[in-house]
Amino acid sequence: AAFTTVAAGNAPGAAAANSDDTVDIVPATVVFSDVDGTLLNSEGNLSATTCDAIRSVLDKGVMFVPATGKCRAGALAAFESDEAPLGVDFGKLPGVYCNGLQVFGRTGELVWEQCVSSSVVERVVAACATVEAGEVSLVGYDGDDLQCLAVDERTDELHLKYYEPRPRAVEKFEVADDEGVYNKLLVLGSAETLTTVRSQLAEELGNDAALTQAMPHILEILPRGCSKGRGVEELLMHLEIDEESCIAFGDAENDIEMLEFVGTGFSVANALPSVTDAADASTLSNDDDGVAAVLAKVVKAEPTFSDSGAVSDGFGLELALGLAEKGGLVSGDGVDINQLVLDEAAAQEELKEALELLELQKSLAEELGYASAEELQQAMEEIEQQEGGLEAFLSQIEAEADEKDEEA
């Protein structure tokens, strides 16, 4: 289907950007989004419009994945701010955090992680020590545990303005002989100071680390070969989902690899020029709910599928497969849930198979004495809350089927 770019020129006072672009996309299976400067507005909050758009996408069955430089605890705090709480527990859902250095899978379990080497940590500390006293602050991210050599206004700002856990002071950063301890390091300072520091670190570290910035006053040191885009790639490999069926949103340098990797990358109107150049399309600014504007188009697209199993009528495909297989109606290899959205031609065939499974499910509901598939689903949800859950229910179905066979 053709997707017309939501142009920055549609926003009052905004300069036009790619306003005539049209991007052909397949229905999105996964939406990746940066947080600061993209999802959050200039006040650092999620708008009610953006919250509604995210919930609508999730209700459709499309996976919405935060892809941020924040640690997971910081992102979750941002999503539940007093201004507009999202009400979605991303701690139990996939996510790409710490600029791709911590990747969490289907149910929020850690599936991939990288750390900067202890050698790099020591060299960064030494380089920062040559800067005039008080000009920079250094923070190490050990997952959700943020550590600094001294607490000051800059380290406190990470917590007070950006929702991160408050960094705690340590006497010195930990080092390990073989593996690193910290996912990444931050150097905090003025934009002018960090321009000099970045040049110095680029020469000192060479190819032993990657440098990036989401904001002019925050420089990030990542493990060699790592980026937010690499984290997105690792998650999609884990989920066995094709990147061409995914879209992403971003505004800063650290988003570029992600926008280039997915099928369609969107820059918000407030993005850096280099990010806009890397993106396939543009949307409104973060203050004009640019991500929400595109998500509204995703919701209106053809029915899509994800491994969460939701389809257009709200009845789960994964549930359909489980029931149909248990009822002996289809074979277990009839449909690969993780590959439901493939290329444009195959998607139509997958839709046809899915609808056939729904019909089978309705037939199974009738055979078991339920008035509708929806009533069967309701019964299953009630049983899932009881001891034994879904497995006990399916075992009961098998036992009843065996009894019928014996009577026959």
Coordinates of all heavy atoms in Angstrom, one line a residue, residues 14-50:
A14 N 6.6 25.4 10.2 CA 7.7 24.4 10.0 C 8.1 24.5 8.5 O 7.2 24.7 7.6 CB 7.2 23.0 10.4
A15 N 9.3 24.2 8.3 CA 9.8 24.1 6.9 C 9.4 22.8 6.3 O 9.4 21.8 6.9 CB 11.3 24.3 6.9
A16 N 9.0 22.9 5.0 CA 8.6 21.6 4.3 C 9.8 20.7 4.2 O 10.9 21.1 4.0 CB 8.1 22.0 2.9
A17 N 9.5 19.4 4.3 CA 10.6 18.4 4.2 C 10.0 17.2 3.5 O 9.2 16.5 4.1 CB 11.2 18.0 5.6
N18 N 10.5 16.9 2.3 CA 10.0 15.7 1.6 C 8.5 15.6 1.5 O 7.9 14.6 1.6 CB 10.5 14.4 2.3 CG 12.0 14.4 2.4 OD1 12.7 15.0 1.6 ND2 12.6 13.7 3.4
S19 N 7.9 16.8 1.3 CA 6.4 16.8 1.4 C 5.7 16.1 0.2 O 4.6 15.7 0.3 CB 5.9 18.3 1.4 OG 6.4 19.0 0.2
D20 N 6.5 15.8 -0.8 CA 5.9 15.1 -2.0 C 6.3 13.6 -2.0 O 5.9 12.9 -2.9 CB 6.4 15.8 -3.3 CG 5.8 17.2 -3.4 OD1 4.7 17.4 -2.9 OD2 6.5 18.0 -4.0
D21 N 7.1 13.2 -1.0 CA 7.5 11.8 -1.0 C 6.4 10.8 -0.7 O 5.5 11.1 0.0 CB 8.5 11.6 0.1 CG 9.9 12.2 -0.2 OD1 10.0 12.6 -1.4 OD2 10.8 12.2 0.6
T22 N 6.4 9.7 -1.4 CA 5.5 8.6 -1.2 C 6.3 7.4 -0.9 O 7.1 7.0 -1.7 CB 4.5 8.4 -2.3 OG1 3.7 9.6 -2.5 CG2 3.6 7.3 -2.1
V23 N 6.0 6.6 0.1 CA 6.8 5.5 0.5 C 5.9 4.3 0.4 O 4.9 4.2 1.1 CB 7.4 5.6 1.9 CG1 8.2 4.4 2.2 CG2 8.3 6.8 2.0
D24 N 6.3 3.3 -0.3 CA 5.5 2.0 -0.4 C 6.0 1.1 0.8 O 7.1 0.8 0.9 CB 5.7 1.3 -1.7 CG 5.1 2.0 -2.9 OD1 4.0 2.6 -2.7 OD2 5.7 2.0 -3.9
I25 N 5.0 0.8 1.7 CA 5.4 -0.1 2.8 C 4.4 -1.3 2.9 O 3.3 -1.2 2.4 CB 5.3 0.7 4.1 CG1 3.8 1.2 4.4 CG2 6.2 1.9 4.1 CD1 3.6 1.8 5.8
V26 N 4.9 -2.3 3.5 CA 4.0 -3.4 3.8 C 3.5 -3.2 5.2 O 4.1 -2.4 5.9 CB 4.8 -4.8 3.8 CG1 5.4 -5.1 2.4 CG2 5.9 -4.7 4.8
P27 N 2.4 -3.8 5.6 CA 1.9 -3.6 6.9 C 3.0 -3.9 8.0 O 3.7 -4.9 7.9 CB 0.7 -4.6 7.1 CG 0.3 -4.8 5.6 CD 1.5 -4.7 4.8
A28 N 3.1 -2.9 8.9 CA 4.2 -3.0 9.8 C 4.0 -4.1 10.9 O 3.0 -4.2 11.5 CB 4.4 -1.7 10.6
T29 N 5.0 -5.0 11.0 CA 4.9 -6.0 12.1 C 5.5 -5.5 13.4 O 5.1 -5.9 14.4 CB 5.7 -7.3 11.7 OG1 7.0 -6.9 11.4 CG2 5.1 -8.0 10.5
V30 N 6.5 -4.6 13.2 CA 7.2 -4.0 14.4 C 7.4 -2.5 14.2 O 7.9 -2.1 13.1 CB 8.5 -4.7 14.7 CG1 9.1 -4.1 16.0 CG2 8.4 -6.2 14.8
V31 N 7.2 -1.7 15.2 CA 7.5 -0.3 15.1 C 8.5 0.0 16.2 O 8.3 -0.3 17.4 CB 6.2 0.6 15.4 CG1 6.6 2.1 15.5 CG2 5.1 0.3 14.4
F32 N 9.7 0.5 15.8 CA 10.7 0.9 16.7 C 10.7 2.4 16.8 O 10.6 3.1 15.8 CB 12.1 0.5 16.2 CG 12.3 -1.0 16.1 CD1 12.1 -1.7 15.0 CD2 12.7 -1.7 17.3 CE1 12.3 -3.1 14.9 CE2 13.0 -3.1 17.3 CZ 12.7 -3.8 16.1
S33 N 10.9 2.9 18.0 CA 10.9 4.4 18.2 C 11.9 4.8 19.2 O 12.0 4.3 20.3 CB 9.5 4.9 18.5 OG 9.5 6.3 18.6
D34 N 12.7 5.8 18.8 CA 13.5 6.6 19.8 C 12.5 7.2 20.8 O 11.3 7.4 20.5 CB 14.3 7.6 19.0 CG 15.1 8.5 20.0 OD1 15.8 8.0 20.9 OD2 14.9 9.8 19.8
V35 N 13.1 7.7 21.9 CA 12.2 8.3 23.0 C 12.5 9.8 23.1 O 11.6 10.6 22.7 CB 12.5 7.6 24.3 CG1 11.6 8.2 25.4 CG2 12.1 6.1 24.2
D36 N 13.6 10.2 23.6 CA 13.9 11.6 23.8 C 14.0 12.3 22.4 O 14.7 11.9 21.5 CB 15.2 11.8 24.5 CG 15.1 11.4 26.0 OD1 14.2 12.0 26.7 OD2 15.9 10.6 26.4
G37 N 13.2 13.4 22.2 CA 13.3 14.1 21.0 C 12.4 13.6 19.9 O 12.3 14.2 18.8
T38 N 11.8 12.4 20.1 CA 11.0 11.7 19.1 C 9.6 11.4 19.6 O 8.6 12.0 19.2 CB 11.7 10.4 18.6 OG1 13.0 10.7 18.1 CG2 10.9 9.7 17.5
L39 N 9.6 10.5 20.6 CA 8.3 10.2 21.2 C 7.9 11.3 22.2 O 6.8 11.8 22.3 CB 8.3 8.9 22.0 CG 8.0 7.6 21.2 CD1 8.0 6.4 22.2 CD2 6.6 7.7 20.5
L40 N 8.9 11.7 23.0 CA 8.6 12.7 24.1 C 8.7 14.1 23.4 O 9.5 14.4 22.5 CB 9.7 12.6 25.2 CG 9.8 11.3 25.9 CD1 10.8 11.5 27.1 CD2 8.5 10.8 26.4
N41 N 7.9 15.0 23.9 CA 7.9 16.4 23.4 C 9.0 17.2 24.0 O 9.8 16.7 24.8 CB 6.5 17.1 23.5 CG 6.1 17.1 25.0 OD1 6.9 17.2 25.9 ND2 4.8 17.1 25.2
S42 N 9.1 18.5 23.7 CA 10.2 19.3 24.2 C 10.2 19.5 25.7 O 11.2 19.8 26.3 CB 10.1 20.7 23.5 OG 10.3 20.6 22.1
E43 N 9.0 19.2 26.3 CA 8.9 19.3 27.8 C 9.3 18.0 28.4 O 9.3 17.8 29.6 CB 7.5 19.6 28.2 CG 7.0 21.0 27.6 CD 7.8 22.1 28.2 OE1 8.1 22.1 29.4 OE2 8.1 23.0 27.4
G44 N 9.6 17.0 27.6 CA 10.1 15.7 28.1 C 8.9 14.8 28.5 O 9.1 13.8 29.3
N45 N 7.7 15.0 27.9 CA 6.5 14.2 28.2 C 5.9 13.5 27.0 O 6.1 14.0 25.9 CB 5.5 15.1 28.8 CG 5.9 15.8 30.1 OD1 6.5 15.2 31.0 ND2 5.7 17.1 30.2
L46 N 5.2 12.4 27.3 CA 4.4 11.8 26.2 C 3.1 12.6 26.2 O 2.4 12.8 27.2 CB 4.1 10.3 26.6 CG 5.1 9.3 26.2 CD1 4.6 7.9 26.7 CD2 5.3 9.2 24.7
S47 N 2.6 12.9 25.0 CA 1.3 13.6 24.9 C 0.2 12.5 25.0 O 0.5 11.3 24.7 CB 1.2 14.3 23.6 OG 1.1 13.4 22.5
A48 N -1.0 12.9 25.3 CA -2.1 12.0 25.3 C -2.4 11.4 24.0 O -2.7 10.2 23.8 CB -3.4 12.7 25.8
T49 N -2.1 12.2 22.9 CA -2.3 11.7 21.5 C -1.3 10.6 21.2 O -1.7 9.6 20.6 CB -2.1 12.9 20.5 OG1 -3.1 13.9 20.8 CG2 -2.2 12.4 19.1
T50 N -0.1 10.8 21.6 CA 0.9 9.7 21.4 C 0.6 8.5 22.2 O 0.7 7.4 21.7 CB 2.3 10.3 21.7 OG1 2.6 11.4 20.8 CG2 3.4 9.2 21.5

